[in-house]
Structures are given as structure tokens and as C-alpha cells.
Amino acid sequence: MVTISVCLGSACHLKGANGVLDAFLALIERYQVQVQVQMAGNFCQGRCTEGVVVQIDDLLLTQVTKDQVFDLFTKYVLNGENE
Ligand code: FES
């Protein structure tokens, strides 16, 4: 099980958090990995200038854009690199 949390605070929202979240949800649907992935939204992580902030299990990622989501999904969900 991989837990992916996207910061939904206002600064990250302005930087495209919803697009990042939607991109993860679309890939989960496309690859039918709903049982492997738990998606969540976080409140502000205190790293507003570095948004969008995404946490994958214990790993905190900053400056995430929706264009990076496929690579992150492949690495951490399909290939399980954070396990
Ligand atoms: S709003 Fe995302 S870190 Fe503050």
C-alpha cells in the first residue's frame, strides 16, 4: 500500500494542486491499482513557497507539477521504489 497525499492548502492550490491530484487519480483508475494506493489531501505543510507539496509515504516532495505525476506514479506505485 502506498499513501499519496497532496497538499490542498491555498498556496499549493494556486500552484496547481488540483491538477496534480487529478493526474494521480486518473492514473490510479487507468492502471486499476485502487487497492494499492490510498490518496489523501493534506493541510498546509509549511513549505508554501515550494509547492505543490506531495507526500508519498514518508517521502516529502516539493515543486511537483502535474507533468511529473506519471514519472512519480511509475516510480513509487508501479515499481514500488519507496518500499
Ligand atoms: S499550502 Fe502547501 S505547503 Fe503551504
Side-chain angles (χ1 to χ4, degrees):
M1 172 70 76
V2 179
T3 301
I4 301 174
S5 302
V6 178
C7 177
L8 299 176
S10 53
C12 287
H13 175 76
L14 289 174
K15 291 180 178 177
N18 281 0
V20 170
L21 181 63
D22 287 347
F24 274 116
L25 291 174
L27 288 169
I28 290 166
E29 177 75 22
R30 187 194 305 170
Y31 286 89
Q32 293 290 299
V33 290
Q34 291 88 345
V35 294
Q36 284 173 246
V37 184
Q38 179 172 10
M39 287 300 302
N42 276 344
F43 293 113
C44 177
Q45 301 295 294
R47 307 280 292 267
C48 304
T49 58
E50 303 169 81
V52 173
V53 176
V54 173
Q55 188 168 352
I56 300 178
D57 291 332
D58 294 333
L59 182 69
L60 194 71
L61 303 167
T62 57
Q63 298 184 321
V64 176
T65 67
K66 67 179 185 201
D67 295 338
Q68 297 171 323
V69 168
F70 182 76
D71 287 345
L72 293 173
F73 182 84
T74 300
K75 186 173 181 180
Y76 295 110
V77 177
L78 298 182
N79 294 340
E81 279 197 27
N82 212 24
E83 292 176 9

